[in-house]
Amino acid sequence: MNFMKEKRKLKKQNRLSSYLPGVKDIEFQGIDKWNIEDALKFDWLRENRNLLLIGKCGKCITTVAAKIGFAAIDNGYKVYYLKIDEYLNILKNKEGQKEKLAFARMKDANLIILDGLMYLPIEVDDILLLYRSIMNLSESRSFIFITNRRLEEWTNNASDLHVMETFKDRIMNRSKQIIFK
């Protein structure tokens, strides 16, 4: 009986964990398998630290993040996955009914997975919004940031170098980098 209750709880958590991409069996390419095995121990998640997954498109970075997300769910964590433009939309429109619900679910999550960070240039106002939200939310939960740009490239697309450097510092604070080659 207890097993069935636990199974229902996990199913509900999985349903509430927003739209993780499907995970296929993957061969880890461009990354040492021990990096993933270490991430799956979830020490970083218990300590409200972050993962920063960096690599070129086609290296299965999103798939690896989803695999970590599903494993986190199996370990009793609440996970929320979204792309950076969806995240910004929720932050900008928190009063809308759909966005209010999404923001509440984000706040309830133990782990937020943000995909596509700095894929496209972001306006200074949006970087400040990201900075503030990540600073507030990361005090009590962890993030996985997925980006296909090396951190030193982020400032190339910034209209305000100081704001971008501050944002990068915030992202790097308490984060472990996993670089896909």
Side-chain angles (χ1 to χ4, degrees):
M1 186 67 167
N2 208 8
F3 173 76
M4 292 305 288
K5 187 176 182 181
E6 198 59 34
K7 192 172 181 179
R8 281 193 303 273
K9 180 182 173 188
L10 281 175
K11 188 174 182 178
K12 181 180 179 187
Q13 277 184 293
N14 198 359
R15 191 176 67 249
L16 292 176
S17 296
S18 184
Y19 316 112
L20 278 166
V23 175
K24 55 187 176 211
D25 288 327
I26 59 169
E27 292 289 322
F28 297 106
Q29 297 176 355
I31 185 171
D32 294 324
K33 190 175 178 182
W34 68 266
N35 276 308
I36 302 304
E37 290 169 352
D38 189 48
L40 291 172
K41 292 177 186 172
F42 298 113
D43 292 336
W44 59 276
L45 188 54
R46 281 187 290 281
E47 298 167 2
N48 292 329
R49 293 179 45 222
N50 306 311
L51 290 181
L52 179 58
L53 306 181
I54 306 168
K56 294 180 181 173
C57 293
K59 294 290 185 179
C60 297
I61 301 169
T62 299
T63 303
V64 168
K67 192 173 200 99
I68 293 169
F70 280 116
I73 292 166
D74 290 343
N75 280 276
Y77 295 102
K78 294 178 185 172
V79 178
Y80 197 85
Y81 167 90
L82 63 167
K83 296 186 182 201
I84 193 66
D85 56 328
E86 297 167 327
Y87 184 74
L88 284 168
N89 183 54
I90 291 167
L91 294 176
K92 290 177 183 178
N93 301 301
K94 281 193 284 192
E95 299 309 312
Q97 187 171 347
K98 181 180 172 185
E99 290 82 7
K100 192 180 281 188
L101 175 63
F103 190 71
R105 289 175 64 196
M106 268 195 302
K107 285 176 37 180
D108 191 41
N110 305 105
L111 172 62
I112 298 172
I113 302 174
L114 279 182
D115 198 352
L117 189 60
M118 299 311 295
Y119 175 70
L120 297 172
I122 298 178
E123 298 296 319
V124 173
D125 290 344
D126 289 345
I127 293 170
L128 291 170
L129 185 62
L130 283 170
Y131 175 85
R132 281 189 220 100
S133 70
I134 290 168
M135 189 172 71
N136 291 330
L137 290 172
S138 66
E139 290 177 6
S140 58
R141 69 198 41 78
S142 296
F143 282 85
I144 294 178
F145 302 106
I146 304 167
T147 183
N148 68 343
R149 293 186 186 267
R150 294 186 326 263
L151 293 174
E152 56 270 14
E153 293 176 3
W154 289 16
T155 50
N156 296 344
N157 294 324
S159 58
D160 187 322
L161 295 177
H162 174 72
V163 170
M164 182 54 77
E165 285 297 327
T166 304
F167 178 63
K168 280 181 9 184
D169 289 346
R170 183 66 201 167
I171 293 288
M172 291 305 303
N173 185 34
R174 300 176 41 231
S175 291
K176 176 183 178 177
Q177 290 184 54
I178 299 179
I179 300 173
F180 294 70
K181 297 181 183 195

